Amino acid sequence: MLLAGESGEAPVTPCCSENGDQKKNLKEKSDINIAALVENEQVCEGTDNSDLPSCVSAFIEKEVGNDLKSLKKLDKLIEQMTESKMQLEEQVLTVSSEIPKRIHSALKKAEESKQFLNQFLEQETHLFSSINSHLLTAQPWMEDLGAMINQIEEIERHLAYLKWISQIEELSDNIQQYLMTNNVPEAASTLVSMAGLDIKLQESSCTHLLGFMRATVKFWHKILKDKLTSDFEEILAQLHWPFITPPQSQTVGISRPASAPEIYINLETLFCQLLKLQTSDELFTEPKQLPEKYSLPASPSVILPIQIMLTPLQKRFRYHFRGNRQTNVISKPEWYLAQVLLWIGNHTQFLDEKIQPILDKVGSLVNARLEFSRGLMMLILEKLAADIPCLLYDDSLFCHLVDEVLLFERELHSVHGYPSTFANCMHILSEETCFQRWLTVERKFALQKMDSMLSSEAAWISQYKDITDVDEMKVPDCAETFMTLLLVITDRYKNLPTASRKLQFLELQKDLVDDFRIRLTQVMKEETRASLGFRYCAILNAVNYISTVLADWADNVFFLQLQQAALEVFAENNTLSKLQLGQLASMESSVFDDMINLLERLKHDMLTRQVDHVFREVKDAAKLYKKERWLSLPSQSEQAVMSLSSSACPLLLTLRDRLLQLEQQLCFSLFKVFWQMLVEKLDIYIYQEIILANHFNEGGAAQLHFDMTRNLFPLFSHYCKRPENYFKHVKEACILLNLNVGSALLLRDVLQSASGQPPATAALNEVGIYKLAQQDVEILLNLRTNWPNTGK
């Protein structure tokens, strides 16, 4: 467009005609030119009008350039720009014609919306005034209607109140009529309905109605309970209840009266009727509760018929074990504990065979025997709560009480199936003051026991020393007694109701283990000069045994549960690092890890001392062997039979004697560690002090090989299949020293030509060298004196 305007000429056709190919090329390039034009226009749009000529010039320069043949493009460019101009004009006209229409339409819609809004505002004003007028007119009506509604609601409440009273009176009259006609079952059922209404009314604010309901229920409950209790006790008396003697000697169990079936029918009837009174009985009878400090688990009241059956036994218990009776001796808790166990045992058969079927028949989930035991257990708990404060500071009496209670608990749970989730004696012993005293007494007596076991004459002698199969660990009596003590302590506290109490006992056990370890260390230090003596070995066996048992306990379910409980406590108190908590949580560590680590360290120190002692003796015995003239010994062909070097005899005899001695005194696992540690030192010693310190002719190398492989190594063949594998330095040195000359020359050449390369390693492996480094092999080869004379 601009080009045409500037030139002042109309577009002209080309002066020369183009053939078909040229037209096709021009058509293909037109799109490229348009794109270039648009690009140039976009560039020009960003410039001022003063820069327009330069922009046009740049466009011409870009499209035409210095090539005159490019002028052929001008006609096509002019046409394209003309078309672009027309398109742009059309777009401008279209937009300019549509925008006013849209603006007009929007203004029109805005006017319409404004009119609608004004109409709505007028309607709102009219409605507001109408509503206010209506409210003012209806206000008196509303006040009158509200008053009437209040009156109706008041009347309805009065009516409901009267209905409740009528219902209560109706139920009360029904109970009275049933009792007059001696229809006790229906009376009991009606009382159950009345008790249900009482429970429903508990949320009501009608205190007088509640009081009336409660008084009525209580009145009839007392009458029915007294009547049924009297009849039930009469039936029990006919059955000779309670059974004071064992089941085998009970009259009812041996010779039943002729009226026995009728008695049991009446028993079932009265039991069911009393069971119906359970709901109303719970409204008036609160179960006996011990102080909160004992933290007894919540439990419902014992069912009413079982309560009545327990009454004569409760009277007997209070008569014999309270007050100034001769049977109430504070130092004899086993009397009342044994009595309760006897009563439970005497009545178990009757409860299982006669009472439990009745409960099953009425659909009750109650277990008669456990309910009976639970009632008797409350007598024990009350007695313990009263007696313990009186003997808390008498160690012997308190310890005796705890022992008897634990025996009672064990029999109660194991023989009579009493659940640990029910209230039991362990809750009383877990009370803070009593529990701390228990811990103190437990620690005191454990320490006394430790003193006595360590001072015993048989402290370091195994009880099973004459029984080989049993005495594998060679455990001294003091260690076995100590671990038995820990096991007994575990049995004593494992039934405590809370994990926190168990963890406190666990800490006591760990303290005792640490104390015993310190005592063993003290005794060990006294025996240091005789580190191969019987007592020193016994101490080492004791340390190993305790460590092994604790490691086994760490996998016990009970201690794993304690570990989880300890993890929760540590996490709450932030007493351990995240790493330690992670190890506990992942079971990588255990609750005994600290103790095991200390014991393992002590065991290692003691073993090291023994190994050092034997090694010193072996070194002293090997002095002559070190001075052997390895350079001048006759070759194997010059000897009829190879024999042990005379200078090696003291060394091998000393080694043999000490191995036999310690094999008898140490347990198998300890002795295995001992000889392996000794062999490791012995291997290095012979290699460095004997082999590397000498030169060997053919006879010397053969003699060394014979001494080692036929005499030293077999000493350890009783303890492993291939003892030479533990003497790797010595074994490989003997191989190198005894290689035939040709192989030795070849090996030396390979090592010198391929230092540090794979061929050198392969060559060493081929002759059986795996442990020694290449430099060590070269040194050993240089110790040989039987090299051939090469003339160098």
Side-chain angles (χ1 to χ4, degrees), residues 570-621:
F570 292 147
E572 290 177 2
N573 300 335
N574 294 323
T575 53
L576 290 180
S577 65
K578 291 184 178 180
L579 175 61
Q580 291 171 315
L581 287 174
Q583 289 174 338
L584 277 175
S586 62
M587 302 300 174
E588 291 180 9
S589 60
S590 70
V591 290
F592 295 113
D593 267 8
D594 294 340
M595 297 297 102
I596 293 174
N597 291 337
L598 290 172
L599 290 167
E600 287 295 320
R601 188 183 306 168
L602 176 60
K603 180 173 76 174
H604 182 266
D605 292 344
M606 294 180 71
L607 276 172
T608 303
R609 189 173 285 110
Q610 285 188 324
V611 170
D612 291 343
H613 182 94
V614 174
F615 185 62
R616 282 194 301 270
E617 291 185 352
V618 171
K619 283 200 301 182
D620 291 340

Side-chain angles (χ1 to χ4, degrees), residues 336-548:
Y336 61 81
L337 294 173
Q339 185 62 69
V340 167
L341 287 174
L342 182 63
W343 286 342
I344 293 174
N346 290 348
H347 297 88
T348 295
Q349 183 179 350
F350 179 82
L351 292 168
D352 288 341
E353 295 179 359
K354 302 301 180 184
I355 303 301
Q356 190 61 48
I358 301 174
L359 290 169
D360 295 340
K361 188 175 181 179
V362 299
S364 175
L365 299 177
V366 174
N367 184 298
R369 178 164 42 85
L370 294 182
E371 199 76 353
F372 183 79
S373 301
R374 193 159 66 90
L376 291 177
M377 176 58 76
M378 284 307 299
L379 296 173
I380 298 290
L381 300 185
E382 292 171 4
K383 177 66 174 171
L384 287 175
D387 284 0
I388 285 177
C390 302
L391 47 78
L392 202 57
Y393 298 101
D394 188 320
D395 290 350
S396 59
L397 289 181
F398 181 78
C399 190
H400 177 65
L401 172 71
V402 171
D403 291 341
E404 292 298 330
V405 166
L406 294 175
L407 289 172
F408 169 79
E409 283 285 322
R410 184 179 303 169
E411 184 172 349
L412 187 67
H413 293 298
S414 60
V415 177
H416 302 291
Y418 190 81
S420 58
T421 53
F422 285 7
N424 56 63
C425 300
M426 303 307 287
H427 290 91
I428 304 298
L429 296 181
S430 296
E431 188 270 326
E432 182 64 26
T433 305
C434 178
F435 184 77
Q436 293 303 327
R437 187 61 185 163
W438 184 12
L439 275 178
T440 303
V441 171
E442 203 77 39
R443 183 188 301 273
K444 175 184 175 182
F445 281 96
L447 293 175
Q448 290 178 359
K449 183 70 174 175
M450 287 162 59
D451 290 337
S452 64
M453 69 176 72
L454 287 173
S455 59
S456 169
E457 293 181 359
W460 308 108
I461 301 174
S462 172
Q463 297 180 7
Y464 315 105
K465 61 180 181 178
D466 298 327
I467 309 174
T468 308
D469 295 339
V470 180
D471 197 31
E472 290 182 359
M473 298 286 288
K474 294 183 171 60
V475 187
D477 183 63
C478 63
E480 186 165 6
T481 306
F482 175 70
M483 295 312 293
T484 303
L485 173 65
L486 290 185
L487 187 61
V488 169
I489 292 175
T490 303
D491 288 337
R492 288 162 72 84
Y493 78 82
K494 68 188 304 181
N495 291 320
L496 283 170
T498 61
S500 60
R501 296 302 192 200
K502 295 177 185 177
L503 287 174
Q504 288 179 268
F505 257 103
L506 178 63
E507 288 302 315
L508 169 63
Q509 287 180 302
K510 291 165 70 174
D511 291 344
L512 292 176
V513 171
D514 197 46
D515 188 275
F516 194 73
R517 178 188 62 83
I518 293 171
R519 292 171 188 241
L520 289 178
T521 306
Q522 292 171 348
V523 179
M524 179 269 293
K525 289 180 179 178
E526 297 173 1
E527 302 292 328
T528 303
R529 293 183 179 179
S531 57
L532 303 183
F534 170 76
R535 179 173 289 193
Y536 191 92
C537 292
I539 296 170
L540 185 51
N541 287 329
V543 172
N544 179 66
Y545 175 70
I546 295 170
S547 177
T548 304

Side-chain angles (χ1 to χ4, degrees), residues 80-93:
Q80 292 170 359
M81 297 183 72
T82 303
E83 289 178 4
S84 298
K85 177 184 177 183
M86 292 176 65
Q87 290 177 0
L88 290 173
E89 287 176 349
E90 288 177 3
Q91 290 178 2
V92 170
L93 288 173

